[in-house]
Every structure is written in C-alpha cells, then in structure tokens.
Amino acid sequence: MDATAKKIWVTLTGLPLTIDLEWPFHRSTSGADFWVLHGDVRLEGSDGLHAPMAVNLSATVREVMASLEPKDAEAPVINALRKEVDKRQIEFLKSGKLKPVAFSSRHYDFKRQKWVFGKASDDEIATFVERKVYWETKLKSPLLAKDARNGAPKIWIGDPTDAQYLETTPAHLLEITGRLVAGDGLVRIDREWAEATSGLMGQAERFELAMRTAVEELEKKHAFERG
C-alpha cells in the first residue's frame, strides 16, 4: 500500500494509519446475526507493521444505519478502528492474524441518535490537527516535508470523518486550526485546507516521539497479555 496515494488517518495517540476496507459488508457465515467487513490497518512510518481486521457489525447498530454502503458506513467504521487503536486493543505485527473488532452499540448514542467515539478537548484537537498536517505532509510528500515553504500538499481540515471521531464539527476543527495560524504560525490555511510551514515540519522529533511512545505502549500491553 502506497501511503502517498492513500488517506492518512491520524489517531489521538499520534499514530498515522492507512485503512484498506474490502467492501461490501456480508452476512456472517457462522450463523450469528451480524455483518462482517474485512480490512487491513497499516501503521505508516513503521517497517511494514499492520493488523488484518474483521469488523463485526451487530444487528442492533445495523438497524440505525441508513445503509451498509461506504457513503453511510465508512466514517463510523474508520473511527471505530481508530478508537480500538487508541484503547490499545489492536496489535501491529509484520504478519498478524485476522482480529475480530466489534462494531456495536457502544459507539452509538441511541438517545441523541449519533455516533460517539469520545469528545476531545480543544487542546487535544489542536494537537490532533498538528499531527494530522505533519504526518500527511511527510507521508504524501517526503521530499517536500524537508522544506514546507513551497509546494507542500494541501491537507483537508474540515473532514467530517475526523469531526465525528473527535465528537466535534468541521467548523470547530477549522476554528482550532485558525488558532494555530494566529499563534505559532505552524500552518497556513485556505478555507478548509491547511499547509504545513517549516516551523511545523521543524518539530518532527515531537511527532515522531509521540508515535514511538504510542507504539511502545501498545507493545507493552500485548506482551503483558501474552505473558
């Protein structure tokens, strides 16, 4: 999988992921009342680490979804996988076994009729935006990442999938990004799009350290569980 041609999904813990989903959902062949979607979550910036997934959609959640087509199901599926990574439930290996992931009512608020993945604070959103712009710039344009003054890729900040993941709105994402522009000048912004500045890319060690720390925490958890 070529990261330069794929969407980068950054987690709150600072990991850049690419997620390949094998549409469509299909009924479980085991006789259980759920639908299955296979996929693969890759940890970009690593030496080929990934996690094959089987997303198991419960019948309860199926009832509240408009359809199982990507236009309706892709965003919550991606965010459910990101949340599993945040909770250190997914282990990245060079050759991993298929792992079932429950896509259930714990991700849906029936009272408010909306997807919920945990509300991020403004500080967490600001850090998320910085990491998103850094990793998308580095992974999509490795050469430009060394000098972001000219030709850096435009990064979509008003992405509704990111807004859903952070339990906010695209407008609020843009508001927080505007503060980064007005504050340290880490990004340039044009409507819903941002570009990294050399100031942001010059802080590479901060973002790389966050990734290494998150990976180490994942590895410690799963090593402990294996005994």
Side-chain angles (χ1 to χ4, degrees), residues 108-120:
Y108 193 80
D109 186 326
F110 287 89
K111 185 175 182 179
R112 293 186 291 165
Q113 296 186 327
K114 62 180 289 187
W115 298 103
V116 290
F117 298 97
K119 187 169 181 59

Side-chain angles (χ1 to χ4, degrees), residues 10 16 22 38 69 76 80 123 176 182:
V10 176
E22 300 175 11
H38 289 147
E69 296 300 314
D123 286 344
I176 297 297

Side-chain angles (χ1 to χ4, degrees), residues 78-147:
I78 285 170
N79 289 333
L81 291 172
R82 280 200 279 192
K83 189 53 62 177
E84 290 298 297
V85 173
D86 285 335
K87 292 163 60 180
R88 301 198 292 274
Q89 296 301 309
I90 292 177
E91 183 177 17
F92 294 99
L93 301 168
K94 288 191 176 180
S95 58
K97 293 183 179 180
L98 189 70
K99 176 181 173 58
V101 174
F103 184 33
S104 63
S105 56
R106 62 180 169 161
H107 296 308
Y108 193 80
D109 186 326
F110 287 89
K111 185 175 182 179
R112 293 186 291 165
Q113 296 186 327
K114 62 180 289 187
W115 298 103
V116 290
F117 298 97
K119 187 169 181 59
S121 68
D122 283 1
D123 286 344
E124 288 174 324
I125 293 173
T127 300
F128 173 87
V129 170
E130 290 176 350
R131 290 170 173 171
K132 173 185 174 75
V133 175
Y134 170 79
W135 282 112
E136 289 205 41
T137 301
K138 176 179 178 178
L139 294 170
K140 292 185 176 181
S141 301
L143 296 178
L144 290 175
K146 297 179 180 179
D147 182 0

